Amino acid sequence: MLGTSSFSSPLFRAPSLLSLSIKTLQRSPIRSTSRESTVPMASISTTPDQKVDASSSIPQEKSPPPLQISKRLEKFKTTIFTQMSMLAIKHGAINLGQGFPNFDGPEFVKEAAIQAIREGKNQYARGYGVPDLNSAVAERFKKDTGLVVDPEKEVTVTSGCTEAIAATMLGLINPGDEVIVFAPFYDSYEATLSMAGAKIKSITFRPPDFSVPLDELKSAFSKNTRAVLINTPHNPTGKMFTREELEAIASLCIENDALAFTDEVYDKLAFEADHISMASLPGMYERTVTLNSLGKTFSLTGWKIGWAIAPPHLTWGVRQAHAFLTFATSTPMQSAAAVALRAPDSYYEELKRDYNVKKAILVDGLKSVGFKVFPSSGTYFVVVDHTPFGFENDIAFCEYLIKEVGVVAIPTSVFYLNPEEGKDLVRFTFCKDEDTLRAAVERMKERLKKK
């Protein structure tokens, strides 16, 4: 379904468990910092000889000031990932919600970071990346796609892929530009597009195969379309865009003179098909920004090392935004990231073998519990249909799952412009050690029953 965002977030249409529990949020209105704000402010009377009620001398509890936020962000709440991780701790639940590993990254990369710190690489890095990392990114991109890029002019290092996304949106999108996204989508897409003043057009993937509805996509393009945003392998569904789908999108971009922004952070977690970068298709490099990061591939999500690859005329906008967002990224971690990206192919082969084992444990377990499990060709996520258990929607199900079963999943409705489109689906992650995955499955087998 084609929809246009009003930038309203569905996160808090849920029962109280998924609402913020901070008392000040419950008691205080959120006040926009816009001059048009109509929230009344406290005032001090200047009238002389004003009579004062004796009771007013009794100390009163001072109410906290209203929370303040700009209008462009006032409809967004605490991310679902933060909420669910907090609830996992509160209820002692096994967290198969947020996509961070509960195991550490490789020793050779951590040792490289320690060495860099000891060597004194601890001051500001060059704004768009330390030269060695820029070169390592370009080398890896050539090996993966066959494309030769200039590390000095076409690679920009950022503080994680989330910042690369923000810098791309803020640096290349103007207010009123239309940007096409595919729902369900990573929640930062909508927020950063809101900051840029964009108009979102959403194309919905539907189970079981989550294929691109090409006729809907074609009708979504217009003279105002500035870009299409693609995530492959796709979070949360695990879908991988086929060559035919990518070629169709590329054709529409060229025909309509639109850009392509491609989030490829899960490119090394492609299990059942080869990953294809949009930039590698004929005529697309000159209109594509390729976004990636270190964290998913090397289980070092806390390092926040990402990058954007684009031709010089697009890199200019990305770098200008990046310069005023973070300016530079952690110097010693960049040095270690360069070492990581030069890892032998055997590292990536072992990574996929390990994740295939984890995936099988979770998928087989979910099926045995009674879920309808949809195919996942990439990422470390699996989407399931929760409706066999009789709950009204995904948020009610996830609330029960945390409180009564002791397992965390992510309600997917928060990843749609229209939450109704995702109310039957929830997402689990298998980026956890095997014992954790088995324990979660056992809890669900014991405590979760079909209705």
Side-chain angles (χ1 to χ4, degrees):
M1 176 179 290
L2 177 62
T4 301
S5 173
S6 62
F7 303 120
S8 100
S9 173
L11 269 59
F12 285 80
R13 63 176 176 74
S16 59
L17 179 63
L18 296 185
S19 301
L20 282 175
S21 61
I22 302 172
K23 291 183 179 179
T24 55
L25 289 179
Q26 295 172 338
R27 294 189 321 212
S28 305
I30 293 179
R31 180 168 67 84
S32 170
T33 57
S34 166
R35 296 186 184 206
E36 286 81 18
S37 173
T38 58
V39 177
M41 300 292 290
S43 60
I44 300 174
S45 173
T46 58
T47 305
D49 302 321
Q50 183 176 11
K51 292 184 178 180
V52 179
D53 191 322
S55 63
S56 65
S57 62
I58 300 174
Q60 301 293 318
E61 181 182 353
K62 186 177 180 180
S63 296
L67 301 178
Q68 298 188 31
I69 189 169
S70 67
K71 281 189 172 295
R72 70 175 66 90
L73 290 177
E74 65 185 352
K75 294 177 182 177
F76 294 95
K77 309 297 181 183
T78 302
T79 73
I80 192 66
F81 307 110
T82 299
Q83 293 178 59
M84 301 308 275
S85 293
M86 289 170 62
L87 290 171
I89 295 169
K90 179 179 179 180
H91 293 277
I94 298 173
N95 192 351
L96 301 189
Q98 190 169 2
F100 60 84
N102 69 340
F103 46 86
D104 217 353
E107 290 298 320
F108 76 94
V109 184
K110 293 187 292 183
E111 286 300 321
I114 293 169
Q115 181 180 347
I117 291 170
R118 287 176 174 159
E119 290 175 353
K121 298 177 180 177
N122 300 306
Q123 307 309 320
Y124 288 132
R126 185 178 63 171
Y128 57 90
V130 300
D132 194 34
L133 178 53
N134 288 60
S135 295
V137 169
E139 292 164 15
R140 187 77 239 176
F141 196 59
K142 179 182 178 182
K143 192 167 188 176
D144 291 341
T145 67
L147 295 171
V148 176
V149 299
D150 185 336
E152 292 299 300
K153 297 179 179 178
E154 299 176 285
V155 176
T156 305
V157 176
T158 60
S159 297
C161 190
T162 299
E163 196 230 325
I165 293 165
T168 299
M169 305 307 176
L170 295 172
L172 295 172
I173 298 297
N174 290 309
D177 283 348
E178 293 178 357
V179 177
I180 297 171
V181 300
F182 295 94
F185 47 74
Y186 177 45
D187 63 349
S188 81
Y189 296 168
E190 185 183 2
T192 52
L193 286 168
S194 174
M195 293 182 214
K199 179 181 180 183
I200 295 181
K201 287 189 170 182
S202 177
I203 304 296
T204 300
F205 290 152
R206 293 181 172 81
D209 59 359
F210 301 104
S211 60
V212 177
L214 292 176
D215 288 339
E216 289 182 39
L217 177 62
K218 186 174 182 179
S219 67
F221 275 83
S222 75
K223 61 182 177 61
N224 296 318
T225 300
R226 172 63 169 163
V228 57
L229 177 52
I230 300 162
N231 176 208
T232 184
H234 181 257
N235 173 17
T237 67
K239 168 193 170 55
M240 293 186 64
F241 283 66
T242 66
R243 180 172 292 277
E244 292 72 23
E245 288 173 334
L246 290 172
E247 287 176 344
I249 295 168
S251 178
L252 288 167
C253 286
I254 294 170
E255 179 184 339
N256 292 276
D257 193 24
L259 303 177
F261 304 147
T262 63
D263 177 350
E264 302 181 9
V265 295
Y266 298 101
D267 63 335
K268 299 304 179 191
L269 297 176
F271 303 113
E272 297 172 15
D274 291 331
H275 171 72
I276 302 168
S277 287
M278 175 65 85
S280 69
L281 299 184
M284 285 306 295
Y285 180 73
E286 290 302 309
R287 61 179 67 249
T288 300
V289 181
T290 304
L291 309 162
N292 212 322
S293 75
L294 185 82
K296 312 300 183 184
T297 305
F298 290 92
S299 304
L300 296 165
T301 58
W303 286 20
K304 297 299 289 180
I305 303 293
W307 55 86
I309 303 171
H313 67 283
L314 299 180
T315 290
W316 173 247
V318 175
R319 287 186 178 179
Q320 287 297 95
H322 165 66
F324 297 105
L325 287 171
T326 61
F327 173 67
T329 296
S330 171
T331 303
M333 300 311 183
Q334 288 193 61
S335 294
V339 173
L341 290 179
R342 295 187 175 107
D345 290 343
S346 59
Y347 171 81
Y348 300 100
E349 292 164 3
E350 184 178 356
L351 179 76
K352 285 205 281 190
R353 280 197 300 270
D354 288 348
Y355 268 119
N356 264 318
V357 172
K358 298 177 192 298
K359 178 183 176 182
I361 293 171
L362 181 61
V363 169
D364 292 346
L366 292 171
K367 288 179 179 178
S368 69
V369 171
F371 290 101
K372 181 178 181 180
V373 181
F374 298 109
S376 174
S377 300
T379 76
Y380 41 51
F381 302 117
V382 174
V383 166
V384 303
D385 185 333
H386 68 80
T387 57
F389 300 97
F391 290 87
E392 179 184 2
N393 55 47
D394 57 329
I395 292 184
F397 173 78
C398 286
E399 181 181 56
Y400 179 87
L401 194 68
I402 293 170
K403 292 175 65 176
E404 305 299 332
V405 181
V407 175
V408 179
I410 295 291
T412 68
S413 60
V414 301
F415 303 135
Y416 295 79
L417 296 185
N418 176 8
E420 286 294 306
E421 293 180 335
K423 70 177 184 177
D424 294 341
L425 308 176
V426 297
R427 188 195 79 178
F428 290 94
T429 184
F430 52 89
C431 61
K432 311 296 176 182
D433 63 75
E434 294 174 23
D435 288 343
T436 297
L437 294 170
R438 291 191 178 98
V441 169
E442 286 306 310
R443 285 189 182 187
M444 288 187 281
K445 283 182 179 179
E446 293 172 4
R447 307 173 189 176
L448 190 59
K449 306 299 180 184
K450 287 185 176 181
K451 294 181 179 179

